[in-house]
Amino acid sequence: MSLFTRSRQLPKTDKATTEAGPTPDGPPEPTPEGAMGHQEAAASGDPDQAVAGSGWRDKHPAAARTVARVSTALAVGLVLFALLLPNELTRITPSAFVRIPVEGISGAAVLLVLPPRARRVVAVLAGAGLGLLTILKLLDIGFYWSLDRPFDLVLDWILFDDAEAFLRDSVGQAGAIGAVIGIVVLVLALLVLMALAVVRLSRLMVRHSATATRTTLVLGTVWIACVALGVQIAGTPVASRSTATLVQDRAHQVRASLKDEREFAKLTAVDDFRDTPADQLLTGLRGKDVIFAFVESYGRSAVQDPQMASQVGAVLADGTSRLRAAGFSSRSGFLTSPTAGGGSWLAHSTLMSGLWINNQQRYTSVTSSDRLTLTGAFQRASAWRTVGIMPGVTRAWPEGQIYGFDEIYDSRQLGYNGPKFSWAPVPDQYSLSAFERLENSKPGREPLMSEIILVSSHNPWAPIPKMIGWDEVGDGSVYDAMSEEGKDPKEVWKDADQVRTEYRRSIEYSVNSLISWVEKYGDDNTVLVFLGDHQPAPIVTGDDAGRDVPIAIVAHDPAVMERISGWGWHEGLKPGPKAPVWRMDTFRDRFLTAYGPRPGPAPSPSAR
């Protein structure tokens, strides 16, 4: 019955009694019909009838109507928010919230035809489902913002532990605990409030079924017409089915993630270098000290984005000149990383294993296998001592066994007595100084193959250390004042331009640390391979920046560079826009082939 015509008549006896006033024994008992009407009105929140009960509704009927109407409006807004909220930050625009969601129309139609008990159950489940859907969309927003991809319902739960550790390192223990508590409260609130909202709306629709039915039919017709005509507002289709599409996509994602484990096991079993004899591995580098250095978040944007390219490019050009003056030559290109914004370990394992490690499931699989890694090939050749300098590792790291290191120095074993620089436990210059002290400067040592992870350019990029004299580094105490004088990350992250500026400065510091180390400590046998692990977060790069990272090889011996002359890489530390681009997982086999037993340059690989 229509909202505007429906009313309830009290029995004449009740009316007469009311007019005559209460009897000496007290007020009359309400009839069963009247009592039921009050209960239904109170339960439904109907603004026209919820004022006839006892308590504050009797005393403040106008306020009661206002509260009921506001509650209904909030319920409608909450449900529409859940259905229309995009799962990417860049798509959240006013036009996104003026669409007609087909899921809401379908849900209303179902609730109108269900019997009372089934309707209540479905309403609660639908509300909880909308709450979960909203949480998923918020997770997607966060993952797109930081990792340039949506949340994986199967594989990404383990990342919450890393996120909590990052918060703890960046804003302190109290801040991390507060953030976790806030997130838990938000999740519970969304689930409860969304369920209450759908229940409230379902009751109102049933009480005003005629109006609700007509409205549902009209909206359904409008939705179909908008689809047929392709009606849009500011480029956004008015007829929305984004929620249904999202659910469908996630169902496919779950199936694909479960299937991926079996397919990856087959890929892992194929290895062209598994049975290569030790005396045929890396023959072109015998007697050389080979360093693989990862520069955190060093992406293609750092060398090509107009806001950063001139400054970072100047550092690379100057570094090329300085190294050339010291007798070194260099070549550079690009690799496509399997990750962006974070997940450095996925990039590290991809480069070293020669497998595409783009999720945690693959990482767990490869690190528990006997795959021959690039570092492991140096160890098998028995011509190098293999060392890892891992300042970002702060606890036990059993996965590191696959890399074949004779010795791993993590943040607790580098002898650092200085402050943390936000997330970064150890400044890059100190890590390189510790490598020199612990391994490289030892008299009579055998050749070294070292992997060094430089972390000063890790998000949140504030505060940033400064280059100092190598003889001033000491035990790291010199960095105390530097950390205190640096910028507060909470202040930096209030402005996107500041974030980009500090990111650029951190890359300049990390690259300068490497160049300066080669200048001071490099010799005729030094071979340096340095690259980025992934692009920084989209707040720095913008959308659709890609996943390419620069890579460069530096060597003093011309014979080392001659081995890769067929790669087509550009001269110098900075690759040009047209430099070859390879997938990161192809590098292991290319490198082992180029420096294998066959003399001369390897055949020119095709660029992507």
Side-chain angles (χ1 to χ4, degrees), residues 517-528:
W517 183 89
V518 175
E519 273 188 302
K520 184 171 180 62
Y521 298 109
D523 58 27
D524 294 354
N525 291 320
T526 299
V527 177
L528 170 66

Side-chain angles (χ1 to χ4, degrees), residues 142-423:
F143 269 66
Y144 273 117
W145 181 79
S146 59
L147 300 177
D148 196 28
R149 65 173 177 82
F151 177 74
D152 192 308
L153 285 165
V154 176
L155 305 174
D156 282 341
W157 298 103
I158 193 172
L159 298 183
F160 289 116
D161 180 54
D162 295 293
E164 190 275 334
F166 172 75
L167 278 174
R168 187 173 61 249
D169 293 334
S170 299
V171 300
Q173 183 74 17
I177 292 174
V180 171
I181 292 174
I183 291 170
V184 171
V185 170
L186 175 63
V187 168
L188 294 177
L190 277 174
L191 294 175
V192 172
L193 292 176
M194 204 68 74
L196 291 175
V198 176
V199 169
R200 180 181 185 84
L201 295 179
S202 69
R203 287 174 174 171
L204 282 175
M205 285 192 302
V206 171
R207 288 188 62 79
H208 309 291
S209 58
T211 300
T213 300
R214 287 197 298 270
T215 302
T216 302
L217 289 172
V218 169
L219 288 175
T221 303
V222 172
W223 188 91
I224 292 172
C226 288
V227 170
L229 298 174
V231 179
Q232 297 185 353
I233 297 178
T236 303
V238 171
S240 168
R241 50 190 168 194
S242 58
T243 296
T245 302
L246 177 65
V247 172
Q248 184 180 23
D249 289 345
R250 288 316 160 85
H252 289 311
Q253 181 196 60
V254 169
R255 288 195 295 269
S257 296
L258 295 174
K259 181 181 178 182
D260 181 69
E261 185 174 9
R262 297 189 298 271
E263 294 180 345
F264 184 66
K266 297 177 182 178
L267 293 175
T268 306
V270 178
D271 187 351
D272 293 338
F273 289 90
R274 181 191 301 276
D275 300 320
T276 302
D279 60 357
Q280 295 183 32
L281 284 171
L282 300 160
T283 55
L285 292 173
R286 300 292 169 123
K288 305 299 182 185
D289 293 317
V290 183
I291 300 171
F292 291 91
F294 281 93
V295 179
E296 171 67 36
S297 300
Y298 178 37
R300 184 170 191 146
S301 295
V303 299
Q304 291 191 353
D305 188 299
Q307 295 187 21
M308 298 177 279
S310 59
Q311 297 95 326
V312 175
V315 170
L316 293 172
D318 178 65
T320 300
S321 298
R322 288 158 54 190
L323 292 177
R324 186 181 298 118
F328 291 88
S329 58
S330 55
R331 293 180 183 271
S332 57
F334 290 107
L335 301 179
T336 301
S337 174
T339 184
S344 303
W345 58 95
L346 303 179
H348 300 171
S349 56
T350 293
L351 185 91
M352 293 300 172
S353 70
L355 295 169
W356 191 248
I357 314 297
N358 61 343
N359 60 55
Q360 192 65 26
Q361 181 174 268
R362 288 189 167 205
Y363 177 76
T364 301
S365 296
V366 75
T367 53
S368 59
S369 72
D370 61 352
R371 176 80 175 183
L372 178 68
T373 59
L374 191 53
T375 47
F378 280 89
Q379 187 183 55
R380 182 194 288 184
S382 301
W384 288 270
R385 172 173 165 79
T386 55
V387 174
I389 304 295
M390 307 290 175
V393 176
T394 59
R395 52 189 174 182
W397 187 43
E399 304 94 327
Q401 296 178 1
I402 190 177
Y403 296 112
F405 292 119
D406 295 318
E407 187 77 40
I408 294 177
Y409 299 94
D410 64 23
S411 60
R412 301 162 296 180
Q413 298 163 321
L414 292 174
Y416 182 64
N417 290 319
K420 293 179 66 174
F421 283 77
S422 196
W423 181 88

Side-chain angles (χ1 to χ4, degrees), residues 55-72:
W56 75 276
R57 294 179 183 274
D58 275 335
K59 298 177 182 178
H60 308 285
R65 291 190 187 95
T66 300
V67 169
R69 288 166 181 163
V70 170
S71 298
T72 301

Side-chain angles (χ1 to χ4, degrees), residues 358-574:
N358 61 343
N359 60 55
Q360 192 65 26
Q361 181 174 268
R362 288 189 167 205
Y363 177 76
T364 301
S365 296
V366 75
T367 53
S368 59
S369 72
D370 61 352
R371 176 80 175 183
L372 178 68
T373 59
L374 191 53
T375 47
F378 280 89
Q379 187 183 55
R380 182 194 288 184
S382 301
W384 288 270
R385 172 173 165 79
T386 55
V387 174
I389 304 295
M390 307 290 175
V393 176
T394 59
R395 52 189 174 182
W397 187 43
E399 304 94 327
Q401 296 178 1
I402 190 177
Y403 296 112
F405 292 119
D406 295 318
E407 187 77 40
I408 294 177
Y409 299 94
D410 64 23
S411 60
R412 301 162 296 180
Q413 298 163 321
L414 292 174
Y416 182 64
N417 290 319
K420 293 179 66 174
F421 283 77
S422 196
W423 181 88
V426 181
D428 291 345
Q429 189 179 7
Y430 181 89
S431 295
L432 291 165
S433 176
F435 166 66
E436 182 65 27
R437 168 173 47 85
L438 294 169
E439 291 286 345
N440 196 55
S441 63
K442 288 183 176 179
R445 62 168 177 79
E446 58 188 316
L448 288 172
M449 192 299 302
S450 310
E451 181 180 349
I452 302 177
I453 311 298
L454 302 180
V455 297
S456 290
S457 50
H458 193 289
N459 178 335
W461 307 304
I464 302 171
K466 298 176 182 177
M467 287 295 297
I468 57 178
W470 289 96
D471 57 348
E472 300 176 56
V473 173
D475 66 353
S477 301
V478 68
Y479 291 102
D480 286 329
M482 207 179 296
S483 177
E484 293 174 0
E485 295 169 358
K487 294 186 178 182
D488 186 338
K490 294 189 289 295
E491 294 300 318
V492 168
W493 279 73
K494 290 180 180 179
D495 179 58
D497 287 337
Q498 281 198 66
V499 173
R500 283 188 284 271
T501 297
E502 297 309 302
Y503 162 76
R504 172 183 59 76
R505 292 181 60 239
S506 73
I507 293 297
E508 292 171 4
Y509 167 77
S510 295
V511 172
N512 260 324
S513 296
L514 266 177
I515 294 170
S516 179
W517 183 89
V518 175
E519 273 188 302
K520 184 171 180 62
Y521 298 109
D523 58 27
D524 294 354
N525 291 320
T526 299
V527 177
L528 170 66
V529 181
F530 80 94
L531 69 155
D533 48 12
H534 53 70
Q535 285 265 53
I539 190 175
V540 173
T541 65
D543 299 319
D544 304 320
R547 297 189 172 189
D548 296 344
V549 298
I551 181 170
I553 294 183
V554 179
H556 197 283
D557 185 350
V560 172
M561 303 307 292
E562 180 62 26
R563 287 275 187 148
I564 63 168
S565 60
W567 285 6
W569 284 18
H570 289 190
E571 293 282 347
L573 299 177
K574 179 183 177 180

Side-chain angles (χ1 to χ4, degrees), residues 92-135:
I92 299 179
T93 60
S95 61
F97 294 97
V98 294
R99 297 175 294 161
I100 303 174
V102 69
E103 303 85 2
I105 298 171
S106 304
V110 170
L111 290 172
L112 282 169
V113 301
L114 287 175
R117 179 173 296 181
R119 183 174 62 251
R120 287 192 294 271
V121 172
V122 170
V124 171
L125 292 177
L130 283 178
L132 291 172
L133 181 67
T134 305
I135 293 167

